[in-house]
């Protein structure tokens, strides 16, 4: 168990102190295996269960004294077990400190029984506090060690001297059982590790060649240099010595970045990591790993060097823009950069370098220090060309009228100007997406964000305002000029004056941007004056709500500075920076920037504050709570990215969010629950929400007065209720009643969609269906089948489909007039809606009276027509729904034959590659073949050889329904095919 905890378990450092076990499926499996082992020892091995540990297992428990039964002596502050040895109790629990000491497996098993639903949490706490439990159970001589372990030999010597060591035999048995558990845990983890993709020499070589083509001393280079430590390459492509290749080493690199010390890197088949560097006065290196392992070289460099990540993005953007020649001087047309372009070919990058040699030489040197007093554009304005530097119409006309016999140098200069105009325009287009040379790009494209990428408007249209702009526009521009040229006092006064304007107005925001105010405000964040920082952040917080402004702020490097401000000791600065980050991180690239510069870890650290239920909070503690609220707002925006969700979990954000969820303050709960519901799409978060007892708090807040908070809580339950345990917890904490009340609020569509979704997922459990039946939710749901958006209809119909499994509810749907609107929805076009509607109609058709209404409304024909849809999900759902319809129709055989081409259509679906489609079609054919005339028709369509070809399947669900179909369609034709042997084999 010690080796498994060291090698197999996944640990993370959640703040300062001892590492924590992450909430991952692998760790949960490990904890459950250990719990089963303790229960097995207690029930099957009584002697080993009674063995007293050499040292107690000690940890901080969260148990109530009242939970202990008659086997314990209970006082006000302590609990002591009645079982003891020589007066020493086997369990001691100090209620004041929460510390518990356990000496036997017997008491461990009883403790897990007392903990009930919290046994997983208690096991986790025990293992976190006792990283090597075997050493405490059997003694220090059995501690987990690397290399040769002689503890077994020492134990055998004790067994031989059994007279001197009476407990040696029991100790040996216990040691063997623990070793067996260790091997089981390690094997389980190895199965997962073996599925990971491994690197190869060719992939590493391609990455290095790519990076070398973009290395150098210039501003546009991604690295200073990247070189092998050995120039000799073996026939297998490796450069590591043969005795290191057996460990998976491929090569060793020396990398010089623009912003870090020299990196000494090992490229291994398992990944890329830092090694110990060269040995002094030797040509050898220290091969030991120093830090984490990364999946490839690009990912490694992005994590180690923020400058590398920034320059790589710029190089990709410039390369995409150079793929087409610059347009002639005219109105810039919208341009799309091809997403599927191959960026991994060194020839293309070499071509790009040649094209940019001239432009690099012409590029002016950028100043190294910012100066807010200067009128010129600050150096943070790196990527965008200011609009006031573009050629005017008069200049363009002069360029056209110039003598065609100009010098070659003049022609080249004109081309540079054209290229810059083209870049400025192209940067404003919606679809300027760049191909990533690593898998990070493809993952970022699949973020869980429900917000689409905002479309920036053409900045050139702003020039049309001219003199029609209000006076505030010109007043703000004057104030910005004072910001640029004034001293410290004048700067503070100018900031205060700017705040007097309505900064939420688009005209005011336009004025600040047009005159270069954004660059100045960002520069002020890099000063040492707190007042200037606070004033600048207050303005940026307001104007960053504009989609164009936040994109400009991200391009100008404002996010990086705000992330650094999160380390400030000034709490007002922390709050303002976090709120501004929350506004800017609404699009993918901004969220990525926050993560790459360490923003997630800093934001998570802001969540750590005093318990909000404490009475008589000081002003300082209230400020800490406000900092936590702002941190939660920023994490909410960042959590729309899958990689950011992982980063929040690894930074220890889950327990801190669980603590904040108990807050009585609505303004704190909204961002906390918003973050949780965004992250609940990940299985690890759903598990954490369940185990950290957050479901109870989510249910409690369903009754809040804030409809926004109710919506986020319902949406979180909607996502978490995919798991059966969560559905049971919602019922246990009386959450079904509040959900039914929320469904009646039909005026709030977002809340309605979240509530009906939660009802749908909760109704998967039949115990919840019984509760919903008593709450009379069916009538409310049926009233929502008309006049609602598709998002609501999908959830409403899904809920009715789950509820209709109950006979009484099927009757209630009929009496409430729900059959007709359900059948009408079969003519829709939304795939998710059609899947849910077919399921609901199929469940209703189990009742004969419902079936007669469905048949009269032509519902069976509509279901049959859905078999033509290309979606396998719709085909399978429609085929399942046809089964009860055919079974309960009065004239089923005649009805089926009345559909022209219907039987041929369903038989041809046996050619599908989808298992669910095949199983559902087999089930439907079994019902169709009950009629002899239909059996003859489908036999003519070749149903027998098609069924015969499926008998080799290994899927149990398909086998079941295939056997049913074969039994109903069986005739003499089957004897001519090898189907009988296959069926016998299945049996």
């Amino acid at each position: 168990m010690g080796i498994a905890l060291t090698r197999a378990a996944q640990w993370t450092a959640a703040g300062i102190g001892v590492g924590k076990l992450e909430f991952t499926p692998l760790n949960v499996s490990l904890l459950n295996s250990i719990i089963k082992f303790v229960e097995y020892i207690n029930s099957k091995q009584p002697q080993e269960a009674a063995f007293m540990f050499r040292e107690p297992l000690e940890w901080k428990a969260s148990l109530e004294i009242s939970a202990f039964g008659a086997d314990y002596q209970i006082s006000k502050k302590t609990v002591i077990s009645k079982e003891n040895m020589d007066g020493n109790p086997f369990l001691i629990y100090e209620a004041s400190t929460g510390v518990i000491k356990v000496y036997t497996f017997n008491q461990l098993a009883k403790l897990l029984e007392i903990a009930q639903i919290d046994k997983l949490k208690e096991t986790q706490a025990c293992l976190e506090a006792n990283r090597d439990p075997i050493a405490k159970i059997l003694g220090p001589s059995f501690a987990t060690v690397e290399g040769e372990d002689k503890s077994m030999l020492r134990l055998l010597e004790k067994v031989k001297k059994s007279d001197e060591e009476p407990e040696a035999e029991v100790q040996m048995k216990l040691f063997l059982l623990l070793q067996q558990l260790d091997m089981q845990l390690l094997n389980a983890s190895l199965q997962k590790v073996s599925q990971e993709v491994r690197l190869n020499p060719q992939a590493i070589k391609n990455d290095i060649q790519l990076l070398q083509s973009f290395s150098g001393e210039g501003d546009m280079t991604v690295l200073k240099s990247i070189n092998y430590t050995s120039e000799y390459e073996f026939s297998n492509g490796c450069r590591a010595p043969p005795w290191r290749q057996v460990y998976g080493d491929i090569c060793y690199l020396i990398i010089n970045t623009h912003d870090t010390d020299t990196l000494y890197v090992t490229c291994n088949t398992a990944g890329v990591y830092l090694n110990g560097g060269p040995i002094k006065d030797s040509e050898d290196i220290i091969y030991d790993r120093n830090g984490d392992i990364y999946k490839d070289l690009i990912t490694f460099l992005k994590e180690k060097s923020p400058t590398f990540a920034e320059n790589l993005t710029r190089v990709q953007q410039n390369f995409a823009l150079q793929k087409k020649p610059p347009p002639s001087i005219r109105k810039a047309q919208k341009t799309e950069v091809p997403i599927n372009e191959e960026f991994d070919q060194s020839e293309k990058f070499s071509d790009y370098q040649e094209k940019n040699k001239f432009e690099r030489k012409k590029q002016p040197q950028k100043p190294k220090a910012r100066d807010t007093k200067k009128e010129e554009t600050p150096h943070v304005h790196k990527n965008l060309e200011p609009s006031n530097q573009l050629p005017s119409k008069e200049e363009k006309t002069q360029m056209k009228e110039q003598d065609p016999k100009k010098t070659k140098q003049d022609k080249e200069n004109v081309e540079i100007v054209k290229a810059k105009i083209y870049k400025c325009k192209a940067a404003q287009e919606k679809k300027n997406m760049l191909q990533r040379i690593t898998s990070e790009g493809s993952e970022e494209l699949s973020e869980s964000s429900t917000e689409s990428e905002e479309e920036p408007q053409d900045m050139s249209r702003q020039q049309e305002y001219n003199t029609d702009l209000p006076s505030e526009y010109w007043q703000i521009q004057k104030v910005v000029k004072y910001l640029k040229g004034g001293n410290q006092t004048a700067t503070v006064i100018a900031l205060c004056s700017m705040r007097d304007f309505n900064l939420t107005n688009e005209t005011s925001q336009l004025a600040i941007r047009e005159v270069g105010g954004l660059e100045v405000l960002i520069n002020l964040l890099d000063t040492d004056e707190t007042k200037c920082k606070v004033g600048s952040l207050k303005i940026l917080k307001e104007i960053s709500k504009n989609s164009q402004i936040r994109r400009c702020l991200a391009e100008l490097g404002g996010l990086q500075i705000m992330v650094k401000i999160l380390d400030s000791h000034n709490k007002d600065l922390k709050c303002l920076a976090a709120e501004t980050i929350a506004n800017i991180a609404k699009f993918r690239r901004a969220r990525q920037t926050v993560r790459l510069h360490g923003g997630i870890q800093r934001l998570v650290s802001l969540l750590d504050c005093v318990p909000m239920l404490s009475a008589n909070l000081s002003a300082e503690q209230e400020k800490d709570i406000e900092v936590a609220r702002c941190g939660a707002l920023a994490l909410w925006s960042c959590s729309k990215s899958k990689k950011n969700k992982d980063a929040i979990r690894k930074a220890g954000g889950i327990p801190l969010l669980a603590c904040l969820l108990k807050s009585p303050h609505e303004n704190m709960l909204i961002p906390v629950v918003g973050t949780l519901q965004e992250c609940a799409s990940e299985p690890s978060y759903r598990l954490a929400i369940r185990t950290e007892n957050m479901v109870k708090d989510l249910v409690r807040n369903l009754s809040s007065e804030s409809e926004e908070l109710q919506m986020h809580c319902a949406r979180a339950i909607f996502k978490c209720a995919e798991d059966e345990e969560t559905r049971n917890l919602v019922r246990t904490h009386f959450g079904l009643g509040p959900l039914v009340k929320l469904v009646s609020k039909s005026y709030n569509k977002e809340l309605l969609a979240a509530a009906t979704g939660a009802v749908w997922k909760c109704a998967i459990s039949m115990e919840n269906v019984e509760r919903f039946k008593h709450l009379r939710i069916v009538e409310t749901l049926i009233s929502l089948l008309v006049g609602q958006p598709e998002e609501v209809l999908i959830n409403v119909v899904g809920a009715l489909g789950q509820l209709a499994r109950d006979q009484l509810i099927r009757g209630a749907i009929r009496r409430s007039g729900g059959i007709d609107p359900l059948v009408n929805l079969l003519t829709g076009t939304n795939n998710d809606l059609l899947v849910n509607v077919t399921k609901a109609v199929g469940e209703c058709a189990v009742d004969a009276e419902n079936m007669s209404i469905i048949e009269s409304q032509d519902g069976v024909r509509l279901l049959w027509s859905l078999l033509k849809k290309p979606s396998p999900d719709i085909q399978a759902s429609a085929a399942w729904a046809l089964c009860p319809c055919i079974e309960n129709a009065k004239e089923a055989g005649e009805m089926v034959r009345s559909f022209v081409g219907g039987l041929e259509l369903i038989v041809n679906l046996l050619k599908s590659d989808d298992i669910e489609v095949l199983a559902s079609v087999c089930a439907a054919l079994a019902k169709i073949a009950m009629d002899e005339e239909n059996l003859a028709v489908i036999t003519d369509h070749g149903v027998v050889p098609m069924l015969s070809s499926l008998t080799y399947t290994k899927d149990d669900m398909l086998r079941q329904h295939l056997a049913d179909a074969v039994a109903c369609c069986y005739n003499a034709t089957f004897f001519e095919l090898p189907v009988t042997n296959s069926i016998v084999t299945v049996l």
Side-chain angles (χ1 to χ4, degrees), residues 347-361:
E347 293 85 356
K348 293 189 178 182
F349 284 105
S350 301
D351 295 343
Y352 166 73
Q353 283 185 306
E354 294 299 325
K355 291 178 183 178
N356 282 277
K357 280 182 180 177
F358 178 79
E359 189 169 343
R360 290 183 191 175
K361 292 178 182 177

Side-chain angles (χ1 to χ4, degrees), residues 15 61 431 643 722:
K431 296 184 178 180
K643 287 197 171 186
E722 295 281 352

Side-chain angles (χ1 to χ4, degrees), residues 535-564:
S536 177
L537 281 173
K538 285 183 177 180
I539 295 170
L540 290 173
K541 185 186 78 170
E542 294 298 328
I543 65 177
S544 60
K545 295 173 183 177
N546 181 292
S547 62
Q548 296 179 40
I549 296 289
R550 55 176 168 250
R551 286 183 178 274
C552 287
L553 291 173
E555 290 287 345
L556 294 171
L559 275 173
Q560 293 89 320
I561 302 175
M562 293 176 199
V563 167
K564 291 179 183 177

